[in-house]
Amino acid sequence: MTPRASRRLRPEVRALVDRPRADVLVIGAGINGVAIARDLALNGVDVVLVDRGDVAAETSAASSRMVHGGVRYLENGEFRLVRESVEERNRLLANAPHHVKPLPTTIPIRNIFGGVANAPLRFLLGRQPRRQRPRGALLIKTGLWLYDAYSNAGRAADGTSVPRHRFVGRARTFEELPDLHPATRFTATYFDAMVSRPERYAWDLASDAARTGGLRLATYVEAVGHEGEAVTLRDELTGHEWGVLADVVVNASGPFTDLTNGALGERTAYMGGTKGSHIVVDNAELLAACRGREIFFENADGRIVLVYPMHGRVIVGTTDIPADASDPVVCTEEEVDYFLELAAHVFPGIPVTRDQIVFRYAGIRPLPAADATEPGRISRDYRVEPGTLPGTALPVLSVVGGKWTTHRALGEQVGDRVLALLGLDRFVATDALTVGASRGLPRPDDQDVWVRARLPGVGQARGRELLARYGTDAIGVAGAEVATKATARRLRTLPAYSVGELSHVARTERVVRLADVALRRTTLAFEGLLTEESVEELADVVGDALHWSRRRRRDEVELLVNRLREAHGVDLRRRHSVPR
């Protein structure tokens, strides 16, 4: 490589080119890949983590944003998965309180005995009956009683768990949720949890690993082949290719696991994912009707509907449709029709229309290949498939399956497998380890005192806003914001954000594309706050921080605008800018 070509490489890519050797190469920086890399780096392993896109840019960014034990899995007989999931949910509530919060979830119920005859068929035979009825009060009460038992037994090390479920009749139901469908006879409310900024949480995990000095992370770098025992990597920005040698390769590319193995020369058929889509709605009446709860509703066809508030908007989802990971995945117009119809079925008096949709997204669940005729019956559990790089003895571990909630446990189990292959012992456990920006997080009652002491110069209201966004990392953000009059300036089109804040994010959080900021480091796209003008202004702020040329800024704007239109149903030409 010529000196001129070397100068074009990003520092993180140049670091891999200059030292193309590691103990472990992890391919895929989704939630599971990041969790594996963190577990290994914390235990003294030299890890390289690469992804063809950004951190948590694909499946991990397209979830329902729930951290849950999987009450539905009980009916499928997946008791091990439920036990582990509620334990991990409780650990996340304890270890990542900045990101993970309790979520009251209410199930509207219209009959007493529905599903009682069908449940044994689902449990024993693994199939749905020909004629389905929504689950009734008796079956739901039984399931939640068992779910509570798992939750109580799976308390975190500090005792963290969630309250027991509550079952109320019609009168109390409509006192609490007056906009529900009038046919509702009971409601059952239980607690799970939600992750409000899943992409930032994944970045927190990666930051934890990087702080050990044991992780080298390079995004927009794809594994495209191998020569002998060296895996060939390609920088997506420059096209530069080089080989990396590792003692173990972990394929954690989620629904793309078979495609990654194919690129490495090994044909596998481990995966059989399904597409899950969601819409995000700006509807004040619907937001108020939720009363801060998730509404978890079973449609007559057996599909599940989720309606719940997030960042002042309402998420409506989800679908479960067989999908091919080699094809683009988008939320279709038919799915939108389905969501609007079901929202009306839950809250019939509240109009929800297409023009209220500010964002839509879809992803492929990394499910194992299965013969199940119904996607909902496919296991959400995970396993590790051992193999070797073709023509060599180099171990390759392929991660199959896994869900957002169990990422830490999966990372630990894969970590144990890798440590055994390397002949190393574990000396750090992650089950009680606080995650990133949750370290030192003040309790709600102590936040004002914390802001005054730790975020001088930004003001109390602004300090609380930064604390909510960045946790204790708000200290660095606030420092960047108040550094000068220029950095303290708010963006004209996005007045909730400052120049210093976004510049700090761009410089310190491995931002490569403008979309990294708009879609993942912030909730700008999710909340529907982007316009043509705001994208241009955002490109200038990020471009100044990263020294982009005018041409690079134009290219990044075009990429982001196209991405929003094609993948998220957002046409910025139809949006008007925020007034001055």
Side-chain angles (χ1 to χ4, degrees):
M1 183 170 54
T2 66
R4 182 176 180 180
S6 177
R7 286 196 297 271
R8 290 167 45 220
L9 296 179
R10 290 168 283 148
E12 59 269 29
V13 173
R14 189 181 302 116
L16 297 185
V17 173
D18 290 346
R19 185 165 70 89
R21 186 74 178 82
D23 295 332
V24 180
L25 169 64
V26 179
I27 303 170
I31 189 63
N32 288 327
V34 172
I36 294 165
R38 175 181 185 249
D39 188 272
L40 291 169
L42 288 169
N43 280 282
V45 177
D46 179 21
V47 183
V48 166
L49 172 63
V50 298
D51 194 288
R52 66 180 184 178
D54 190 20
V55 172
E58 296 274 358
T59 299
S60 299
S63 74
S64 297
R65 302 186 173 221
M66 293 169 58
V67 176
H68 66 108
V71 66
R72 284 199 302 146
Y73 308 154
L74 292 171
E75 201 169 56
N76 294 348
E78 295 193 87
F79 301 117
R80 190 213 72 80
L81 179 60
V82 174
R83 182 181 67 252
E84 180 179 78
S85 296
V86 296
E87 289 173 352
E88 292 303 311
R89 178 204 64 199
N90 292 342
R91 285 176 177 137
L92 282 166
L93 286 166
N95 298 338
H98 167 53
H99 297 284
V100 181
K101 315 284 186 185
L103 177 65
T105 301
T106 295
I107 307 173
I109 305 167
R110 298 184 184 180
N111 66 76
I112 298 176
F113 298 107
V116 171
N118 299 340
L121 288 175
R122 284 188 286 258
F123 179 75
L124 297 173
L125 303 181
R127 63 178 175 84
Q128 295 280 13
R130 292 180 181 177
R131 184 179 179 185
Q132 298 185 57
R133 289 188 65 198
R135 293 165 179 81
L138 182 59
L139 188 62
I140 290 171
K141 179 71 175 176
T142 302
L144 291 180
W145 174 83
L146 185 57
Y147 197 58
D148 283 345
Y150 275 109
S151 289
N152 186 60
R155 291 176 179 274
D158 66 353
T160 298
S161 185
V162 296
R164 298 179 65 83
H165 82 275
R166 189 168 57 90
F167 211 94
V168 300
R170 179 179 174 83
R172 184 66 179 272
T173 287
F174 285 96
E175 285 178 16
E176 297 179 358
L177 296 164
D179 298 296
L180 282 178
H181 194 287
T184 304
R185 298 175 62 184
F186 314 91
T187 52
T189 298
Y190 67 100
F191 280 79
D192 264 322
M194 65 177 180
V195 56
S196 58
R197 294 173 173 86
E199 303 91 345
R200 289 205 61 82
Y201 173 82
W203 171 251
D204 251 9
L205 291 181
S207 297
D208 276 356
R211 275 191 285 266
T212 68
L215 174 69
R216 286 176 286 160
L217 166 67
T219 55
Y220 297 92
V221 169
E222 185 172 9
V224 295
H226 78 99
E227 292 186 14
E229 292 191 344
V231 174
T232 304
L233 302 180
R234 181 172 61 215
D235 178 18
E236 294 295 295
L237 270 68
T238 64
H240 179 70
E241 293 187 2
W242 75 102
V244 168
L245 288 165
D247 296 322
V248 181
V249 175
V250 178
N251 179 356
S253 48
F256 311 106
T257 294
D258 290 330
L259 298 179
T260 299
N261 282 336
L264 297 179
E266 182 71 20
R267 187 171 182 176
T268 60
Y270 299 140
M271 308 307 298
T274 65
K275 181 178 74 166
S277 296
H278 302 76
I279 59 175
V280 181
V281 178
D282 185 4
N283 182 317
E285 195 175 358
L286 184 64
L287 180 67
C290 292
R291 301 297 195 272
R293 309 181 189 191
E294 175 189 48
I295 308 301
F296 186 90
F297 182 80
E298 183 185 18
N299 193 30
D301 63 4
R303 289 189 286 183
I304 297 299
V305 187
L306 312 172
V307 182
Y308 76 104
M310 179 74 67
H311 301 305
R313 308 291 185 258
V314 180
I315 296 176
V316 183
T318 178
T319 48
D320 205 358
I321 303 168
D324 186 337
S326 61
D327 296 330
V329 55
V330 296
C331 176
T332 65
E333 295 305 317
E334 291 77 15
E335 288 174 296
V336 171
D337 289 337
Y338 172 71
F339 293 143
L340 297 180
E341 174 189 338
L342 292 180
H345 201 54
V346 178
F347 295 113
I350 300 175
V352 181
T353 58
R354 257 182 169 74
D355 64 314
Q356 296 168 347
I357 300 172
V358 298
F359 193 67
R360 62 175 83 173
Y361 61 95
I364 300 179
R365 300 176 181 90
L367 305 182
D371 296 327
T373 57
E374 302 150 26
R377 293 288 309 182
I378 301 174
S379 175
R380 268 54 175 175
D381 212 339
Y382 56 85
R383 69 179 192 270
V384 179
E385 290 285 350
T388 57
L389 202 62
T392 77
L394 180 68
V396 177
L397 303 181
S398 296
V399 179
V400 180
K403 58 201 275 304
W404 225 100
T405 306
T406 56
H407 68 271
R408 189 215 62 85
L410 183 153
E412 183 177 69
Q413 289 192 28
V414 176
D416 285 341
R417 294 278 291 268
V418 172
L419 290 171
L421 288 170
L422 297 174
L424 300 174
D425 294 325
R426 172 179 296 278
F427 57 86
V428 173
T430 58
D431 56 344
L433 195 63
T434 305
V435 175
S438 291
R439 292 192 187 91
L441 191 74
R443 294 177 179 275
D445 292 345
D446 299 327
Q447 287 184 358
D448 286 340
V449 174
W450 190 92
V451 166
R452 283 194 295 271
R454 303 297 181 90
L455 309 181
V458 299
Q460 202 67 22
R462 177 62 172 166
R464 289 183 73 99
E465 187 175 44
L466 294 178
L467 178 61
R469 281 182 195 158
Y470 302 104
T472 52
D473 285 349
I475 295 171
V477 176
E481 180 168 297
V482 302
T484 68
K485 187 177 292 187
T487 57
R489 180 178 65 82
R490 301 296 184 96
L491 274 66
R492 181 182 63 82
T493 58
L494 300 167
Y497 291 81
S498 74
V499 171
E501 172 188 2
L502 293 174
S503 298
H504 179 81
V505 166
R507 287 193 302 266
T508 63
E509 296 186 0
R510 295 289 177 88
V511 167
V512 176
R513 296 289 192 194
L514 186 61
D516 299 343
V517 176
L519 290 165
R520 290 174 286 278
R521 304 300 188 274
T522 70
T523 56
L524 288 170
F526 181 93
E527 294 182 55
L529 299 177
L530 294 176
T531 64
E532 287 185 310
E533 286 188 8
S534 66
V535 167
E536 295 281 354
E537 188 177 16
L538 187 65
D540 280 338
V541 173
V542 174
D544 286 346
L546 299 181
H547 310 294
W548 286 347
S549 67
R550 299 310 304 177
R551 180 178 177 180
R552 173 70 185 274
R553 297 177 200 213
R554 289 194 300 271
D555 290 345
E556 291 296 331
V557 167
E558 183 179 359
L559 285 170
L560 174 57
V561 168
N562 290 341
R563 177 71 179 172
L564 288 170
R565 183 180 64 253
E566 295 167 5
H568 301 292
V570 176
D571 188 347
L572 295 185
R573 293 171 299 180
R574 299 180 181 179
R575 284 190 179 169
H576 299 290
S577 295
V578 178
R580 290 177 183 265

